[in-house]
Each structure stands twice: as C-alpha cells, then as structure tokens.
Amino acid sequence: MPGPRIRQLSPFLLIDHIGPMTVAPSDKPLGSPPHPHRGFETVTIMYQGVLAHRDTAGHAGNIGPGDVQWMTAGAGLMHEELYEKEFTRQGGTLEVVQLWVNMPQKDKMAPPNYQDIPAAAIKTLPTPDGKGTIRVIAGTYEGVSGPATTFSPMTMLDVHLTKGAELTLNLPADYNVGLYVVKGDVQLHGNRPAATKQLVVLGWDSQEAHITATEDSIVLVLAGEPIEEPLATYGPFVMNTNKELMQAIADFESGAMGKFEDDE
C-alpha cells in the first residue's frame, strides 16, 4: 500500500515490508541513505536484523528484533536508516515493516520527535485461547495500553498466532481497520483466506474481526480514526495542499530540514 486497489487506509498511508532477506557480510552498511520527510510519521517494526537510525533533529539509535521506532517528521527533517555496523559485519536475515502514518492538518508542522520503543517496553497479553500473543504497540486493547504516543486515535497490534489459534478482535466501530499478514496463512470470519504479505481492508464498522490461523502466523492490526482532510502528496512529503508541498520542496532544497555534518 499504496497500490492499484488500495490508495490508503487512513490514517495509514503506506506499508513497506522488506524481507525476509539474507544480508551478506560486508564492511559497508547498506540501507536507506539520508532523505527528507515532512507532514507524517514513520513507524518501523523490526522482526529480524538490526537497523541504525539517525536524523537531523539529533535523534539516533539501533532497533533490533521486537523493537519499534516511531519517528515524527512533522515540520521536516532528514534521516537515514542503515544496517547496524555489527549486523553488517556478520550478515544475517533482515525483515522489517515500515508504516507511514498521517498527521492531522493542525499538527503537520509540529517539531520532529523520536520514540525509541524497545521490545521490553511493549506489553503483551495472551489470546483468550492461550495459543497466541498480542503486543500492544499503540492505543489501548483489552485494558492494556501501548507505549507509543499518537496524534490521532489508533490501535496498532502485533499479533502472533500458532497454528489452530482463534482470535476475535474487538475494535472501535468508528475506526478504519486493516489486517496485514506479515507471515503465515489465516482465515478471516471463517471463509476469507489471507496469506503472507497480503492486506485485508475491513474498513469502518468492523468492531469484531475473527481470525483463525491455519499455520503459525503474524498479523499486524492497523486500526485508527480516519483523518478526513484533503491530502496532497509528493514523494516524502504529505501535506494538505499543493502550495504546502511546494513550500516543503523549497525548504528541503534550501537546507532548512537540516544536514548531517559528514555530508557537508
């Protein structure tokens, strides 16, 4: 997402699932070199491997298996995500899901921020049948609150199910709901199959979503109150008007979003 059938699942704008892929040992870290963002947030969920983040707002950190990085681009910054040095040296398997999350118009020019959320900070609860676990990344589910702070109401869950597990999700009626299968094979409502790297959009009024795992599976639950505002996008900028996009491009080209010292 976005794709020919699904442009967005407001407030979620993009899903980028990288891997699982084998990274050969190297002396030179690969990944995403410095690039700008404005007007939204990036959420990076690590499943395998280690990434190193830094940005021109002064934030830096490594994220490994189970960790989540929640970066608010807001008014704008430059950032890079490269393979962490030791992971680069040793090589290994890399798998990561990155989401772009929209911000309301009133918050788009908020100061950049960085939430470093280690796996240990994410509370986990068992599924009712005891055959799976639910990691609450953002929002509140069954009385458990996630550590991420958000600009609009949402619930983000990382659900791990063993074969044969069944789960009925209970979500707010006014939320947009999507289920992304990170790994495995599931049946939704008993008759709708979904497999690895497929997104099922349930949309509004989906308080109950029944999932049956036909094999060991991981499902990312994306549920949020839609942001019903005009959307103007151009590459790494997500604003409300074309005029704001032109300003974002001008600010980037003038260096107003910052530079890394070693790039000067």
Side-chain angles (χ1 to χ4, degrees), residues 5-6 28 33 35 59 76 83-84 89-90 95 105 120 123 129 143-144 172 184 193 206-207 220 231-232 250-251:
R5 297 180 61 190
I6 304 171
K28 183 179 180 181
H35 57 282
H59 309 117
Y83 304 164
E84 184 268 338
R89 189 183 67 80
Q90 293 186 355
E95 184 174 19
Q105 184 174 24
K123 294 181 180 178
D129 65 1
V144 175
S206 300
Q207 299 100 305
L220 196 56
L231 198 62
D251 288 346

Side-chain angles (χ1 to χ4, degrees), residues 232-234 237-239 241-250:
T233 64
Y234 182 78
F237 308 126
V238 180
M239 305 303 291
T241 68
N242 288 337
K243 183 178 180 180
E244 290 169 336
L245 285 180
M246 295 299 291
Q247 186 62 55
I249 294 169

Side-chain angles (χ1 to χ4, degrees), residues 1 11 14 18 27 46 51 53 74 81 108 111 124-125 168 185 188 202 234 241 243 261:
M1 183 179 74
L14 175 145
I18 301 170
D27 294 327
M46 292 297 300
L51 290 179
H53 163 94
E81 295 162 304
K108 281 190 178 292
T124 301
L125 62 154
T168 298
D185 202 308
L188 304 177
L202 302 179
Y234 182 78
T241 68
K243 183 178 180 180
E261 291 183 5

Side-chain angles (χ1 to χ4, degrees), residues 78-97:
M78 298 280 289
H79 84 136
E80 71 173 14
E81 295 162 304
L82 302 178
Y83 304 164
E84 184 268 338
K85 289 182 179 179
E86 187 59 24
F87 176 71
T88 297
R89 189 183 67 80
Q90 293 186 355
T93 302
L94 178 73
E95 184 174 19
V96 55
V97 174

Side-chain angles (χ1 to χ4, degrees), residues 133-154:
T133 57
I134 303 170
R135 298 202 314 150
V136 185
I137 297 172
T140 300
Y141 187 77
E142 299 294 342
V144 175
S145 296
T149 299
T150 66
F151 283 89
S152 62
M154 69 184 68

Side-chain angles (χ1 to χ4, degrees), residues 28-224:
K28 183 179 180 181
L30 300 176
S32 299
H35 57 282
H37 288 307
R38 171 177 282 181
F40 65 99
E41 301 183 286
T42 65
V43 180
T44 305
I45 304 166
M46 292 297 300
Y47 289 98
Q48 300 183 77
V50 185
L51 290 179
H53 163 94
R54 65 170 182 161
D55 62 48
T56 52
H59 309 117
N62 296 334
I63 48 174
D67 298 343
V68 174
Q69 169 197 284
W70 199 294
M71 186 190 79
T72 303
L77 46 58
M78 298 280 289
H79 84 136
E80 71 173 14
E81 295 162 304
L82 302 178
Y83 304 164
E84 184 268 338
K85 289 182 179 179
E86 187 59 24
F87 176 71
T88 297
R89 189 183 67 80
Q90 293 186 355
T93 302
L94 178 73
E95 184 174 19
V96 55
V97 174
Q98 185 171 95
L99 309 167
W100 287 12
V101 180
N102 198 13
M103 298 172 68
Q105 184 174 24
K106 64 181 179 63
D107 298 313
K108 281 190 178 292
M109 296 299 286
N113 190 34
Y114 179 78
Q115 299 179 66
D116 183 8
I117 305 173
I122 301 174
K123 294 181 180 178
T124 301
L125 62 154
T127 57
D129 65 1
K131 296 181 179 179
T133 57
I134 303 170
R135 298 202 314 150
V136 185
I137 297 172
T140 300
Y141 187 77
E142 299 294 342
V144 175
S145 296
T149 299
T150 66
F151 283 89
S152 62
M154 69 184 68
T155 298
M156 187 180 297
L157 310 174
D158 185 32
V159 180
H160 294 239
L161 302 172
T162 59
K163 183 179 180 179
E166 295 190 35
L167 171 65
T168 298
L169 294 165
N170 297 296
L171 300 164
D174 58 347
Y175 277 15
N176 231 350
V177 178
L179 306 177
Y180 180 71
V181 183
V182 177
K183 170 189 174 184
D185 202 308
V186 300
Q187 290 278 339
L188 304 177
H189 303 296
N191 60 6
R192 184 174 183 178
T196 300
K197 297 192 176 182
Q198 288 187 330
L199 170 66
V200 179
V201 174
L202 302 179
W204 293 356
D205 198 21
S206 300
Q207 299 100 305
E208 293 188 356
H210 186 74
I211 305 172
T212 302
T214 52
E215 61 181 59
D216 291 355
S217 302
I218 300 173
V219 178
L220 196 56
V221 178
L222 307 174

